[in-house]
Amino acid sequence: MTAVQGTAVDIPTEDGIADAYLAQPGDGAAHPAVLLFMDAFGLRPHLRSMADRLAGAGYTVLVPNLFYRAGRAPLFDLPDFIDPQARPGTWKQIMPVMQALTGERAMRDAGAYLRWLAASPAVADGPVALTGYCMGARLALLTAGTYPERVAAAAGFHGGRLATDKPDSPHLVAGDVTAELYFGHADQDHSLPPEQIDRLEQALTEAGVRHRCEVYTGAPHGFTQADTAAYHREGDERHWSALLDLLARTF
């Protein structure tokens, strides 16, 4: 694991300025880029630590505050250990902000993040990889289909609503995806029931997308987030192994 440099950066978008965290190896060289899409709890110390871990493995990692339209991070009054059941008011804060981030807005922003990475001296030439968590898994899939020429690989973990019956469902971009995809689904996840898992698998297979979808038995929704009550150590370790394997194959 190499030394890591972490900095706060601002990214111009079509709708304003997105604050973000950039982690990179401390050697001053350009490295392959990973765009990390946050979960609904937002840009916070745990996500910065995840970015640092990826940077220590040799990648330049950008973690944007996807909710920048509502303000700079941190937006929510979160404890060091997040247990929404213990603080039911947490979701009342988060839901309106999350619902305001439409797919159209998110993909407009994703284009800005990808352009910023392409222009950064910290990033090696070529396409990038994506990884996303909870709502971020949905955005990773949408981004892979919206910007196929810029995305070489994308991973999503404990994602919800990946293959709904709505016209804006993420799985409908499968035909445009050229990246290799990996999904680690949470077991018995109410936001991704078995019929959606099957629908996603079918869409990716029929589109000829290189992919692997796995259900992590016993892992709850949010299993990678160590600062929450949903954390599941076995599932998290499996996630890191799968993600780093995907990145190694990509770059």
Side-chain angles (χ1 to χ4, degrees):
M1 200 66 84
T2 60
V4 170
Q5 176 184 349
T7 54
V9 297
D10 284 345
I11 301 174
T13 77
E14 294 179 43
D15 296 335
I17 301 293
D19 51 309
Y21 179 70
L22 183 72
Q24 61 192 101
D27 57 6
H31 293 270
V34 178
L35 176 56
L36 191 157
F37 288 111
M38 67 189 204
D39 63 354
F41 295 127
L43 180 54
R44 61 194 192 279
H46 175 62
L47 290 187
R48 293 184 183 95
S49 72
M50 293 179 74
D52 289 347
R53 180 167 175 175
L54 286 171
Y59 305 101
T60 295
V61 187
L62 181 68
V63 192
N65 167 24
L66 304 180
F67 297 152
Y68 72 87
R69 290 176 181 83
R72 299 178 72 87
L75 280 173
F76 312 119
D77 179 23
L78 296 174
D80 292 338
F81 182 77
I82 304 167
D83 184 355
Q85 290 188 342
R87 296 180 60 174
T90 299
W91 280 114
K92 290 182 181 180
Q93 281 186 294
I94 294 173
M95 285 302 293
V97 180
M98 183 168 64
Q99 290 170 348
L101 184 64
T102 62
E104 180 183 0
R105 285 179 170 179
M107 289 306 96
R108 198 158 65 230
D109 292 344
Y113 306 145
L114 292 169
R115 288 191 297 273
W116 190 91
L117 285 169
S120 172
V123 174
D125 291 340
V128 309
L130 316 172
T131 185
Y133 302 88
C134 298
M135 61 170 255
R138 187 174 189 272
L139 299 183
L141 176 53
L142 284 171
T143 302
T146 305
Y147 300 98
E149 74 286 352
R150 291 291 299 130
V151 179
F157 299 91
H158 44 82
R161 298 184 298 116
L162 295 176
T164 71
D165 56 7
K166 295 183 178 179
D168 62 349
S169 177
H171 80 287
L172 297 176
V173 305
D176 297 318
V177 172
T178 57
E180 179 179 352
L181 304 184
Y182 177 89
F183 290 97
H185 304 310
D187 188 26
Q188 300 179 5
D189 186 342
H190 65 87
S191 69
L192 194 75
E195 59 268 23
Q196 287 197 40
I197 293 176
D198 293 343
R199 189 180 292 146
L200 175 63
E201 175 68 37
Q202 181 178 354
L204 297 177
T205 299
E206 290 180 352
V209 177
R210 290 168 298 146
H211 73 281
R212 189 166 76 216
C213 299
E214 298 182 320
V215 176
Y216 291 18
T217 303
H221 181 78
F223 62 80
T224 63
Q225 302 302 297
D227 62 345
T228 76
Y231 182 64
H232 183 269
R233 182 178 297 278
E234 182 181 347
D236 184 36
E237 291 175 354
R238 183 175 173 184
H239 136 261
W240 278 112
S241 177
L243 177 57
L244 291 171
D245 283 349
L246 176 66
L247 296 178
R249 289 197 301 276
T250 303
F251 298 122

